[in-house]
Amino acid sequence: MAGPKSSSNASKRAAATAAATPSKPAPSSSSAPAPASASTVALHTLWAAYLDATPSRLKLVDAFLVFLVLSGVIQFVYCVLVTSFPFNAFLAGFASTVGQFVLTASLRSQVNAKNRALFKDVSPERAFADFVVGSVVLHFFVFNFLG
Amino acid sequence: MSMSKAYPLPIDISPTTVANTASLVRIVAFLFISGAAIASRLFAVINFESIIHEFDPWFNYRATRVLASEGFYEFWNWFDPTAWYPLGRVVGGTIYPGLMATSGVIYNVLHSLHLPVDIRNICVLLAPCFSALTAWATYMFTKEMKDESAGLLAAAFIGIVPGYISRSVAGSYDNEAIAIFLLMFTFFLWIKAMKQGSALYGTLTGLFYFYMVAAWGGYAFITNMIPLHALALTLMGRFTNRLYVGYSSWYAIGTLASMQVPFVGFQPVRTSEHMGALGVFGLLQIVAFVELVRVHVSSKQFQQLLFVSVIVVGILGTLVIVGLTYKGWIAPWTGRFYSLWDTGYAKKYIPIIASVSEHQPTAWPSFFMDLHFLIFLFPAGVVLCFKELRDEHVFVVIYALVASYFAGVMVRLMLTLTPIVCVSAAVALSSVLDTYIDPVVPDATDGDADAAKKDRSTTPASSASVVELLTDIVTSGSSPSKRTKHARQGIIGLDTRGVVILNALGMLLFFVVHCTWVTSTAYSSPSVVLASHMPDGLHIIDDFREAYYWLRQNTPKDAVVMSWWDYGYQIAGMADRPTLVDNNTWNNTHIATVGKAMSSPEEVAYPILRKHDVDYVLVIFGGLLGYSGDDINKFLWMVRIAQGVWPDEIQEPRYFTPQGDYRVDDQASSTMKNSLMYKMSYYRFPELFGGGQAQDRVRGQVIPNPGPTLDYLDEAFTSENWIVRIYQVKKEDPLGRDLKGANAFDKGKKRKRTRPPVRRRSLA
């Protein structure tokens, strides 16, 4: 498939948007060519299944993920439409949202009870500690790069 | 159950004792390995002295001295006006500072402990010390692939293998000195991150990746290896959330961190070399999202929908990248990168890259020279990894394939192949040893056929037995009757074991002997000081330092020295004089200017020299001693590079004889004979031989007796063995005549006046 070499900021944003939205129907999939009625039905089932099967802690994490995606999208739109002038500042801001997003998404999958068998070496407490360490390191570089 | 044993084992030892003893033995073995790794790199110090080697290390050393004496901020903002005269060079923004920073930290730590170690000794000994760390990192990496014993073997291999020693002897103070350790350790952390799905290890991978980016331009290898591994796993249907966690945390932190290095800057989002990593990052986000949704929905239709949308997003992403490259937002691949795929590319378009000897394709014997018997075990180890093929083994297989290709393309990339060869060979050898040391004897009744076959195969030669064993292992892995066969697999009798193990030990012994020999003879020469073996013992040829110190002591501090770029760093480091061009070959036109001056006749070269304020011209001449790395042998590259910029003034064919030979004797073309380089090399050379034939020992040709004359330059200094010759550029004639005319006038009038005496010892 064409995936391997894909992506740039734009498609990363698409990917981020896509990955971020367990809580709201994915825009990328709704724009894909498919029978409209069938897809809306499928999306409704998905939404229902999500509300039903997800613990509230994970929903909280998901809400944070959505916030990060929105923040990243706003920064990107600003960069494209207005200016990218302090490019390092834009990169730092955007990287902080993307980095925080993937770290939070990692935390989400590590503490997800369904993935317990997958992460034998990472207990939920350890996962949170990893998350904190990763975020601190990330934001150290972000602050250094803001300029 | 009672298994029969080939040799008795003590039975009254508790498992804890065994485990403790094993770990003690490992630690002791590791100490010995570190000692051997460091000691075998000290040949250069023992045979010569504690001196910085070659070319680039001289710059690194000079920069480190600035860092140690002036502090980090001064170093960071250092503008060097003496390099690339008159342009200067922003050093802080055009180097990988990792090496200097490492030495600076070590220097400061030692001094705060009141150990006043000279910065030069830290620089000289940095590479040997880091080689011990490399051995440790390789141990950890191999441990993840197989077990501790394979790890120890790999550590021992990488500790003394010439392929790595070649770039890390004491005094070889180059980026590779620390980069190979960082490479292996980053890979180890990546394997850990991927295996455990730990964001902590992912973060550590990112941090060490940052250190690597700060230390060596070869970081692009990691930038592409890790995504390749992740992509391969995804395409093999092995995507897990562990992979997602490891890769995402590495990429997000590592990429941001890598942009902190000024020399890298925005490249990670702007150049094609880095786009693969970004693409895989995006792909993993999509795949992770799809996996998440799949958990919630089982509808077939929806899965199809997802599949389609993933493909659409993938195609869109590729189109966006292509479009951005087209519009110039993403820089296309650089020439250095193209020259990896098309080996003829550099010679056609970027002669300056092709002119470097370490960018030439590798000759086959050097694989054996650098890796010895590891190169035979290497494929076996890769096959073993392929047979087991856990996620981390995929990494070894990919690394082996990629690095083998690169090592074939460029000599210097042998360095990236060496670690994986050590790892694979250690896996193979330790599998062999495991099989043959294991005391368990298979059931003789149903194992007869197998055992007979093994016995037969081991007797002729052990290399055959290794192959046999491997084919056995591979076939048993793929055959359906694997389990039944496995039960009766094993070795019967002590003789078989003895033969194979003795053979393996013999190979290891020869490996050690070979490594020591290659290291001491081939890789320990500083190339600043040469050694020649004469019947009456070892002679040290110290012409370079002699000449550089002459410059330092006899010329004004701001005297500009022109030489070919190879010697720029050495002149700056040892003579402390401004140079026109140096080994940081960033400005092709400037180098071409020097090339043009060297390959033009005196009248053409003189205005160029004067315009660039050149006071002295330095050439390397090996004709008297037989030193083949001299400027006449490099001359064609100067011509080619100059031709690239001034195609109508300099033409390569004119420097050949009509028959197409490159000659320096009386058949040489007139363009060749009139070029500044030829004249400076052979000026007064025939006088050395009295009336005899002036034999150039490098090219084996006779220089015509009335040698070349110089009108615009004066010979200022010639070193003991004539390796370095320095000429002073004459100032314009005070009476306004052109120098050629003035010279002829002087000769006509004052025939008796002798030339100023030049210190010279004739060596006929």
Side-chain angles (χ1 to χ4, degrees), chain B residues 26-206:
Chain B
R26 270 202 297 278
I27 292 172
V28 172
F30 197 78
L31 287 179
F32 278 119
I33 289 172
S34 306
I38 295 175
S40 66
R41 283 164 170 79
L42 297 183
F43 276 115
V45 174
I46 293 165
N47 286 350
F48 296 92
E49 60 180 272
S50 173
I51 185 185
I52 303 290
H53 290 194
E54 296 194 313
F55 307 105
D56 287 13
W58 274 100
F59 170 75
N60 298 331
Y61 171 53
R62 183 162 161 253
T64 311
R65 267 193 321 204
V66 171
L67 173 64
S69 60
E70 318 244 329
F72 193 75
Y73 283 100
E74 280 301 309
F75 170 68
W76 201 247
N77 298 321
W78 181 23
F79 176 79
D80 182 6
T82 65
W84 295 90
Y85 185 88
L87 304 171
R89 175 185 177 191
V90 187
V91 178
T94 55
I95 52 161
Y96 293 102
L99 181 74
M100 299 97 191
T102 309
S103 313
V105 166
I106 295 174
Y107 177 82
N108 285 327
V109 167
L110 288 180
H111 276 245
S112 66
L113 296 174
H114 302 290
L115 291 169
V117 183
D118 184 22
I119 187 75
R120 178 174 54 96
N121 286 323
I122 291 175
C123 294
V124 166
L125 295 177
L126 189 76
C129 295
F130 265 82
S131 73
L133 287 176
T134 310
W136 175 69
T138 312
Y139 166 76
M140 300 297 276
F141 182 85
T142 317
K143 206 175 94 179
E144 295 298 318
M145 298 302 150
K146 190 168 174 288
D147 51 17
E148 283 92 348
S149 39
L152 276 183
L153 273 177
F157 290 159
I158 193 95
I160 57 172
V161 72
Y164 174 41
I165 286 191
S166 65
R167 308 304 299 254
S168 64
V169 291
S172 177
Y173 181 58
D174 213 343
N175 292 336
E176 290 92 334
I178 62 172
I180 298 302
F181 160 66
L182 294 172
L183 183 81
M184 283 319 278
F185 200 65
T186 311
F187 282 154
F188 158 70
L189 289 171
W190 157 246
I191 295 293
K192 268 284 198 205
M194 180 217 58
K195 256 171 128 174
Q196 291 193 359
S198 151
L200 176 69
Y201 275 107
T203 309
L204 285 176
T205 315

Side-chain angles (χ1 to χ4, degrees), chain B residues 328-528:
Chain B
W329 207 81
I330 297 173
W333 281 302
T334 57
R336 267 167 216 269
F337 192 79
Y338 278 127
S339 61
L340 282 181
W341 307 113
D342 177 5
T343 42
Y345 181 87
K347 202 167 179 181
K348 262 180 276 170
Y349 301 102
I350 340 168
I352 200 151
I353 291 182
S355 75
V356 181
S357 65
E358 62 184 22
H359 290 169
Q360 305 300 324
T362 316
W364 288 112
S366 71
F367 279 97
F368 183 77
M369 168 109 163
D370 279 359
L371 301 166
H372 196 241
F373 85 118
L374 302 183
I375 197 71
F376 306 126
L377 287 181
F378 169 52
V382 175
V383 167
L384 285 178
C385 285
F386 204 85
K387 189 201 139 216
E388 205 165 336
L389 212 63
R390 293 200 304 269
D391 288 352
E392 59 267 31
H393 294 130
V394 177
F395 185 79
V396 172
V397 173
I398 297 175
Y399 187 173
L401 290 177
V402 173
S404 309
Y405 173 76
F406 286 154
V409 173
M410 242 186 229
V411 177
R412 73 182 290 193
L413 293 181
M414 195 73 164
L415 194 63
T416 51
L417 175 68
T418 305
I420 197 64
V421 168
C422 292
V423 170
S424 307
V427 168
L429 191 64
S430 110
S431 302
V432 172
L433 291 179
D434 282 353
T435 315
Y436 281 86
I437 291 180
D438 183 16
V440 177
V441 172
D443 249 346
T445 46
D446 51 9
D448 263 349
D450 259 16
K453 193 169 126 206
K454 289 243 165 63
D455 270 342
R456 187 161 39 77
S457 69
T458 44
T459 32
S462 89
S463 56
S465 82
V466 172
V467 173
E468 197 91 18
L469 172 76
L470 290 175
T471 44
D472 270 6
I473 289 170
V474 173
T475 45
S476 77
S478 57
S479 74
S481 60
K482 183 175 162 189
R483 204 148 297 143
T484 54
K485 226 179 165 185
H486 202 76
R488 54 198 179 91
Q489 242 181 11
I491 316 298
I492 295 176
L494 277 176
D495 49 350
T496 320
R497 291 185 162 80
V499 167
V500 172
I501 291 170
L502 279 181
N503 243 310
L505 286 180
M507 283 202 290
L508 289 173
L509 198 67
F510 276 117
F511 176 64
V512 172
V513 172
H514 173 84
C515 290
T516 317
W517 176 75
V518 170
T519 308
S520 64
T521 55
Y523 289 139
S524 292
S525 167
S527 89
V528 175

Side-chain angles (χ1 to χ4, degrees), chain B residues 95 100 135 209 230 257 275 407 413 428 611 634 669 689 710:
Chain B
I95 52 161
M100 299 97 191
Y209 173 69
M275 282 302 129
L413 293 181
K611 270 185 201 159
K634 292 173 184 170
S669 70
F689 296 84
L710 283 169

